[in-house]
Amino acid sequence: MPGMSKQELKHDELEDVFDRLALWYHRNAKWIQWVVFVALVLFIGTRLYRQYQETRFARATAELGKAQSALASALMEASENKRKELFATAITEAERLVKDYGTSFHGREALLLLGNAHYYYSLALANQKSEAAAERKAAREAFEKLLSVAKTPEEKAAAYLGLGNVLENELFATRDMTLLKQAADYYSEAKKLAAGSYLAAEADLALARMYQPVSDKRDEAERTLNAVIKTRSEMRGAQMAVSDKETKQLKFKSIEPEKARELQNFEKLTYAAQAKDLLASLKGFEPAKEK
């Protein structure tokens, strides 16, 4: 029998390997098909689920924005009937979102919105004591629930700030001075959790506002307002320095008068400006003498 060349031997070995692979595949074809099928299902399922999550997130964001828009419109509405309708819409939508999205990000944002809607509605109902009290109670429940499910310090700070607002309003509505310390504690917690943020500035302004008519708290209110003015002015100075550095690299034409007025009006809305206004009113305010 003639001998085989190295090339022929190599070719023969490859045929043996392919034959063994073919035999193995033939014996395990069904199992292999199931593995491929499962892998394909998992791949398609993951893609579809990701797309579903993205779609759901976008839809939830749009729905939340719609509810926030209703609340913003309610705050600016002059007609009492229309305002009541808009508040009802915002509250109903927020309740639905809380139910639909649970403790997810959008559910927590909806809880914050729900608390704010009830709180601001209570302010609008100031002359209707029982209805206003019911709205304050609902607002407090929403903020307390948000506090229990909050995931970040900022969310907890927002909940504490909301609770402080509600108790402050309750204090002035009922003249129950036992609420003063509790509201102050809530504001202090908000400040600690969100130090240096707008939430801390909001808490400081609210605390000073609450202390304004309290004779033995006026010095603390004045110190708080001065601290807000100093801190926020320094922050704004640093921001303006960065802005000036950036704008030097660009060429601008003169600002139109309308735009200049808009910028001036915006400047009046800063926390430092609000603190200055509160400080001026504090100095001109004479609290009732204790009998």
Side-chain angles (χ1 to χ4, degrees):
M1 182 175 179
M4 298 178 68
S5 67
K6 289 184 179 181
Q7 187 174 0
E8 289 173 330
L9 284 171
K10 200 170 190 181
H11 179 72
D12 196 50
E13 288 174 1
L14 285 175
E15 284 186 347
D16 289 344
V17 170
F18 285 128
D19 287 342
R20 288 195 295 271
L21 285 175
L23 180 61
W24 179 87
Y25 181 82
H26 179 72
R27 291 175 178 174
N28 299 278
K30 187 171 291 187
W31 175 78
I32 293 171
Q33 289 169 3
W34 272 107
V35 169
V36 173
F37 176 74
V38 170
L40 185 61
V41 168
L42 287 175
F43 174 75
I44 294 174
T46 301
R47 292 289 298 273
L48 289 175
Y49 179 74
R50 188 176 300 162
Q51 186 176 0
Y52 164 75
Q53 286 290 82
E54 292 173 354
T55 302
R56 190 170 187 265
F57 190 93
R59 183 173 68 248
T61 300
E63 291 174 336
L64 189 60
K66 183 179 178 181
Q68 289 171 335
S69 178
L71 176 57
S73 297
L75 295 173
M76 296 184 291
E77 181 57 53
S79 168
E80 183 176 346
N81 290 334
K82 184 64 176 175
R83 184 167 62 245
K84 182 178 180 180
E85 181 182 328
L86 287 167
F87 271 119
T89 298
I91 289 170
T92 300
E93 282 299 300
E95 288 174 339
R96 182 182 65 79
L97 291 172
V98 169
K99 183 178 179 181
D100 288 350
Y101 297 103
T103 59
S104 68
F105 169 77
H106 288 96
R108 299 194 304 274
E109 287 294 306
L111 268 175
L112 179 60
L113 176 63
L114 181 61
N116 283 328
H118 281 299
Y119 168 70
Y120 285 114
Y121 193 29
S122 74
L123 297 180
L125 295 170
N127 296 325
Q128 302 173 48
K129 293 184 178 180
S130 60
E131 291 89 344
E135 291 300 319
R136 287 195 299 272
K137 182 175 182 292
R140 185 171 182 176
E141 289 173 351
F143 289 132
E144 286 175 343
K145 186 173 181 182
L146 173 60
L147 186 60
S148 70
V149 299
K151 302 294 185 184
T152 66
E154 290 76 17
E155 289 179 349
K156 290 180 180 179
Y160 276 122
L161 182 61
L163 286 169
N165 289 158
V166 172
L167 287 190
E168 179 187 349
N169 190 233
E170 186 79 15
L171 166 65
F172 291 127
T174 63
R175 303 290 189 248
D176 181 0
M177 293 302 291
T178 62
L179 297 173
L180 181 68
K181 185 179 184 307
Q182 192 174 356
D185 287 344
Y186 284 146
Y187 288 141
S188 296
E189 284 297 322
K191 286 168 57 179
K192 283 191 291 186
L193 286 164
S197 72
Y198 77 96
L199 289 169
E202 288 275 6
D204 273 329
L205 291 175
L207 189 63
R209 181 183 62 237
M210 183 175 68
Y211 280 164
Q212 182 173 334
V214 183
S215 57
D216 61 344
K217 294 290 186 180
R218 295 186 68 201
D219 288 344
E220 186 172 345
E222 188 171 343
R223 285 195 301 272
T224 300
L225 290 172
N226 281 321
V228 172
I229 293 170
K230 182 176 182 296
T231 302
R232 303 306 293 192
S233 295
E234 288 175 351
M235 290 176 64
R236 180 154 181 78
Q239 292 170 350
M240 291 298 292
V242 173
S243 179
D244 288 343
K245 187 176 179 180
E246 291 175 346
T247 53
K248 284 178 181 178
Q249 302 174 9
L250 303 172
K251 294 181 179 180
F252 288 97
K253 295 180 179 179
S254 59
I255 300 177
E256 298 176 0
E258 293 80 5
K259 291 294 182 182
R261 281 194 293 272
E262 287 179 11
L263 291 172
Q264 289 173 348
N265 290 333
F266 181 75
E267 182 70 21
K268 293 176 183 177
L269 298 176
T270 64
Y271 290 114
Q274 292 180 58
K276 288 177 183 177
D277 289 342
L278 269 175
L279 190 60
S281 65
L282 179 67
K283 291 179 177 179
F285 184 84
E286 290 297 331
K289 302 289 185 182
E290 293 185 6
K291 295 182 180 179

